[in-house]
Amino acid sequence: MAQTLDTGSDVLWARIRGVLRSEFGDAAYRSWLKPITLRDVSRNSVTLSVGTNFMRDWIQEHYLARIREIWSQENADVKTVEVVTFTSDSAEPQRTETRLQPSPAAPAVHARAVGPESRPAPLDPRLTFDNFITGKPNEFAYAAAQRVAESPTVPFNPLFLHGGVGLGKTHLMHAIAWHIRKAHPDRSVLYLSAEKFMYELIRAIRYKDMMDFKERFRSVDVLMIDDVQFFGGKDTTQEEFFHTFNALVDQNHQVVISADKSPSDLEGLEERLRSRMGWGLVADIHPTTYELRLSILQAKADAIGAMIEGGVLELLARRITSNVRELEGALNRVVYHAALVGRDITIETVQEVLADVLRANERKTSIEDIQKTVASHFNVRVSDMHSARRARAVARPRQVAMYLSKQLTSRSLPEIGRKFGGRDHTTVMHAVKKIEELCATDVSFAEDVELLKRMLER
Ligand code: ADP
Ligand code: MG
């Protein structure tokens, strides 16, 4: 980016910082405002930079509106003020997606574009292998992703990553893309969400550009589509994806797919697509364990460099069990809070600042968790929990899951029925009775149910 600073802007920026300091106070000024650098001033736009995305987001949320206001009071020509992340190892500043106004800004880092029309999703610079903490629940998926990124040939096709929300699927896909971009700049990598794929397809159909669409998606070396559960029920999109997928695999080009469920559990997808997606390597990211959560928190806390009292990270790891995204969010909140009030992070601060999150995590067992755990315990599909099949082999596990839903969640019988393929509340009631009876008469069955309960309460 061109440096077009002149002393006039520097003086103006110094004055604006003075105003900010008196408005927000010394502590906030030192933590958040002083580190901002004035990078670029053109006639009507100003670019500020900071060293981390974390700082950038915080400034955006809390100070940018005010900075912009002051600036336009000083100079009415200035229409946009934006904050970017600028580190010494990034050639281009990483812009945020939210802007005050749309501006013809420099592009963020993209996976190599494969055609003038294609605008692949920007890759997030934080989502690399280096920043991915591994543990039991994700080590297999991590190893598989690394294999795909490092292997000179296609090791398995496709790589299918699946797991619940916020467990690192997108992170691993971006990491693959970053690695290949760096190690093999000549290979074209295209990463996009399933939604975006559909959007591009609709556009191609509307503008009668199908030749171009096919050419674009079928000529890449590595195609990554995130969150394909989105294709459920969208037949035209599935059809086109199926052909794209086959064309790539036939040419021995790598395909990486992610979804929130395993191929066999994806709903609303054509059978041939589901089975095809399971042909390569299917890698499951399991829910986090306490150990993994603690390692992730330690790594993130180190990266932020915050002063954190002993026991705080352990408390967060023990109490926030939903997913990594929420864990990160919780840590960020306490760090922000502590920085603002200028105190260290203590257990009391955490309990105060995160009261709502901690409460929400108390009732952590969801019916979906129960269905998943029970299905895998009895070796049936999660979709059998919703299906109309009455065979004992699936009906019994389904009853167990209904029983546990009643025991472990605060959902009502009709609510539980709805989650099991729209069954009636009397069916749930019957299931609960049936399982209670069985537990009373069959010791080993009772033990099974008890084990499941303990696993779910974990
Ligand atoms: P998903 O795509 O599975 O919903 P994401 O990949 O978006 O989840 O992960 C959510 C957030 O948690 C991201 O900020 C990501 O960087 C972080 N995250 C997830 N797993 C890990 C991990 N093992 N180590 C470090 N960060 C992680
Ligand atoms: Mg994702």
Side-chain angles (χ1 to χ4, degrees):
M1 177 180 287
Q3 290 285 102
T4 53
L5 298 185
D6 53 59
T7 39
S9 334
D10 272 344
V11 172
L12 179 56
W13 175 228
R15 195 158 66 231
I16 290 171
R17 294 219 290 192
V19 177
L20 293 168
R21 182 179 201 148
S22 61
E23 283 183 14
F24 292 103
D26 271 347
Y29 177 79
R30 260 199 318 279
S31 308
W32 306 108
L33 299 161
K34 190 154 173 263
I36 303 177
T37 308
L38 177 62
R39 281 213 72 76
D40 188 74
V41 181
S42 71
R43 212 177 63 78
N44 52 21
S45 78
V46 171
T47 307
L48 305 171
S49 73
V50 286
T52 63
N53 291 346
F54 175 82
M55 294 266 311
R56 178 200 64 195
D57 295 346
W58 179 255
I59 290 164
Q60 270 228 310
E61 206 170 308
H62 296 86
Y63 304 110
L64 194 55
R66 182 65 189 135
I67 295 177
R68 184 183 176 217
E69 226 168 61
I70 305 175
W71 215 302
S72 54
Q73 279 161 13
E74 296 275 350
N75 178 351
D77 284 345
V78 170
K79 299 281 183 272
T80 55
V81 177
E82 68 178 340
V83 190
V84 301
T85 312
F86 193 88
T87 50
S88 48
D89 54 25
S90 66
E92 278 291 330
Q94 312 289 300
R95 278 157 204 276
T96 62
E97 299 197 336
T98 40
R99 298 212 181 92
L100 294 172
Q101 283 183 353
S103 70
V109 179
H110 285 131
R112 196 179 131 202
V114 289
E117 288 296 321
S118 102
R119 249 172 265 112
L123 293 176
D124 186 327
R126 288 168 307 171
L127 306 184
T128 61
F129 284 123
D130 283 347
N131 290 340
F132 192 85
I133 311 299
T134 55
K136 267 245 157 51
N138 61 22
E139 65 192 3
F140 180 63
Y142 178 84
Q146 246 186 349
R147 246 329 256 302
V148 163
E150 286 172 2
S151 172
T153 57
V154 172
F156 21 74
N157 222 355
L159 168 59
F160 189 102
L161 296 168
H162 72 99
V165 165
L167 296 180
K169 301 179 297 293
T170 298
H171 190 139
L172 285 178
M173 290 177 113
H174 282 226
I176 294 173
W178 279 119
H179 187 95
I180 297 177
R181 272 168 53 91
K182 213 154 123 199
H184 307 281
D186 55 311
R187 292 177 79 188
S188 55
V189 180
L190 184 56
Y191 163 88
L192 74 171
S193 64
E195 243 173 309
K196 183 83 173 94
F197 181 88
M198 185 178 89
Y199 167 81
E200 296 268 326
L201 175 65
I202 290 171
R203 245 179 56 139
I205 295 171
R206 178 171 317 145
Y207 295 106
K208 309 201 171 14
D209 248 358
M210 277 311 287
M211 287 296 285
D212 181 58
F213 176 90
K214 287 185 202 295
E215 165 61 21
R216 248 167 48 218
F217 284 97
R218 293 175 194 189
S219 63
V220 292
D221 295 311
V222 182
L223 177 66
M224 296 200 258
I225 308 270
D226 206 352
D227 289 322
V228 298
Q229 70 275 4
F230 178 80
F231 288 157
K234 304 187 172 77
D235 296 345
T236 312
T237 311
Q238 272 180 50
E239 171 88 16
E240 190 52 40
F241 176 63
F242 184 69
H243 294 308
T244 304
F245 179 101
N246 285 333
L248 286 167
V249 172
D250 286 348
Q251 299 170 73
N252 205 23
H253 290 185
Q254 180 74 56
V255 177
V256 181
I257 297 167
S258 86
D260 64 354
K261 299 195 186 68
S262 74
S264 55
D265 282 330
L266 281 173
E267 281 160 24
L269 249 59
E270 264 185 82
E271 182 52 34
R272 59 174 188 172
L273 179 56
R274 277 197 288 160
S275 82
R276 196 71 183 73
M277 289 196 300
W279 277 13
L281 185 76
V282 177
D284 187 355
I285 307 185
H286 298 270
T288 56
T289 55
Y290 171 78
E291 289 75 22
L292 178 61
R293 292 194 293 274
L294 188 59
S295 323
I296 290 174
L297 285 169
Q298 273 157 349
K300 305 227 181 250
D302 282 351
I304 297 170
M307 295 291 291
I308 300 178
E309 188 184 70
V312 164
L313 299 183
E314 287 78 3
L315 171 73
L316 292 175
R318 203 166 49 245
R319 298 289 300 278
I320 301 180
T321 53
S322 43
N323 63 50
V324 183
R325 185 172 297 133
E326 203 178 344
L327 196 62
E328 269 186 339
L331 178 65
N332 285 345
R333 260 175 73 184
V334 285
V335 170
Y336 293 154
H337 179 90
L340 274 186
V341 301
R343 272 193 318 211
D344 285 358
I345 298 165
T346 63
I347 300 218
E348 289 75 58
T349 340
V350 170
Q351 275 162 345
E352 185 187 313
V353 177
L354 296 181
D356 53 340
V357 181
L358 295 176
R359 218 172 317 115
N361 272 273
E362 260 162 27
R363 277 190 295 108
K364 64 175 192 278
T365 320
S366 69
I367 293 182
E368 286 76 16
D369 285 341
I370 294 173
Q371 292 175 330
K372 213 170 153 184
T373 308
V374 172
S376 95
H377 180 80
F378 290 106
N379 221 355
V380 299
R381 294 171 169 188
V382 176
S383 58
D384 284 330
M385 294 287 154
H386 317 281
S387 78
R389 292 179 58 202
R390 285 151 170 271
R392 166 81 63 89
V394 297
R396 188 71 81 226
R398 195 188 294 133
Q399 287 177 327
V400 170
M402 288 184 197
Y403 166 83
L404 290 171
S405 300
K406 185 73 198 107
Q407 297 272 309
L408 302 177
T409 75
S410 54
R411 298 310 179 92
S412 66
L413 294 174
E415 277 177 314
I416 295 173
R418 271 200 293 283
K419 296 262 186 181
F420 285 82
R423 287 181 157 75
D424 196 71
H425 75 279
T426 52
T427 309
V428 183
M429 216 149 70
H430 173 73
V432 172
K433 271 235 290 291
K434 181 80 204 165
I435 298 305
E436 278 169 356
E437 271 168 35
L438 281 171
C439 286
T441 52
D442 181 341
V443 179
S444 83
F445 182 81
E447 275 173 358
D448 249 21
V449 171
E450 194 49 42
L451 176 77
L452 278 165
K453 206 189 270 183
R454 267 210 305 277
M455 256 157 60
L456 285 160
E457 279 172 337
R458 164 186 55 98

